[in-house]
Amino acid sequence: MNQRRFLALDILRTFSVIVITFYHVWESAFGEDRMFFTKSQSIYAYLTQFFVDYWSYSGIILALISFFLIGLSRKDINWQRYLLVAIGLVGMMIHDQSQTDYQSWSWNLYGYLLVSLLTVQILPNNKKALLALSALSLSLLFIPVEVFQSLKPSDSPILGQMLIGDLDATTTIGWGLLPWLSIPVLGFSIGRVIRDLSMNSLVFTGLKYEVPVLLAVAAGLIAAFPFRSDVSVSSTGFYYYVFSGSVWFFWSRFAVILIWIRISCLNSVNQFLNRFKIVRMNSELAWNRHFGLCYFIQFIFLSWASQLSLEFRANPRLMDLFWIGMVAATEVLARLLVIRLRSFKLSANKLVNRT
């Protein structure tokens, strides 16, 4: 079961990767909260509204998919995953630190991921308990962010960032544990519940008209995005974090994500998508096979983006090329590292067998 590829999930993750890397290059080069290039200057200008109106939830998408697949996995502990997250956390703490003032450290994505990994590691394997945790996670996501903001301790900024995050539109610190720890718990619990189910179960065969009905609901939600003032956020720029949105803002998008994940599990959908070579090739990308490694590698290239800021301003097309080149270079480097690691393991096994 855990060896099966969910082709539609790989497609969703690929689009999310495109958006996330796009955002990372912009943030590393400029850190501006508004796009100042015109559409005639850069493809980034075309992607800006697409990003904030439809793909603001790329980070949550990637977290949900990743923990869903962790739940499906039969491997109890993946030390490489913990190592990458720990290195990322230490690196970001060093980056954020102002000289030797530890209070200048900011809570970040890597801290959130580390706590999330440790949390799902201790979740029970009992299916009833996992279903209850899924229901609890979903219910927490229906609570307005203002309620959590009111719980934020005033005497400890670091603790406040960890537990709640800064949930207003003028700040960029998200990934507070309340309520966003619900995302990995939900993904992991669902993945663990369906891990041992038969491929002939209803989860994978689906209901007769389930796909068209779900697609119609998703299409309706997507069509409603631009026509609601409390839904469309394109005027607020890059730094309107989804963590600041209303309950309707969140669920109008998150419901579409859940629908996509549900459809991705169906045998009929996987069989249909498997007909297309480009879909199979997409699933073979290192960005899908080894997402954590690729996410980490990209930061090696992002360090150059800040140094090229002036060149990007003078020649916006150069930034487009850098972004696309970074995604491709990360793919190549990740493949080479995986091949090297497998070769090292094979050599080590032969040495052990000889002795």
Side-chain angles (χ1 to χ4, degrees), residues 56-126:
S56 298
Y57 275 62
S58 289
I60 287 178
I61 292 172
L62 293 172
L64 184 63
I65 292 176
S66 296
F67 280 91
F68 171 72
L69 296 176
I70 291 173
L72 281 173
S73 174
R74 297 185 183 278
K75 191 171 185 178
D76 291 332
I77 297 179
N78 187 326
W79 66 267
Q80 296 99 324
R81 185 181 296 122
Y82 279 93
L83 178 61
L84 287 175
V85 172
I87 292 174
L89 175 60
V90 173
M92 288 300 295
M93 290 175 69
I94 295 174
H95 177 271
D96 293 339
Q97 184 182 4
S98 176
Q99 296 180 354
T100 58
D101 181 13
Y102 72 92
Q103 292 185 347
S104 62
W105 293 339
S106 296
W107 179 250
N108 56 61
L109 173 62
Y110 288 98
Y112 167 83
L113 289 176
L114 183 58
V115 172
S116 298
L117 286 172
L118 294 172
T119 299
V120 300
Q121 195 69 56
I122 62 174
L123 293 184
N125 285 321
N126 182 277

Side-chain angles (χ1 to χ4, degrees), residues 13 50 60 75 88 141 150 155 181:
R13 179 158 51 185
F50 172 76
I60 287 178
K75 191 171 185 178
L141 296 174
S150 66
D155 56 342
L181 188 60

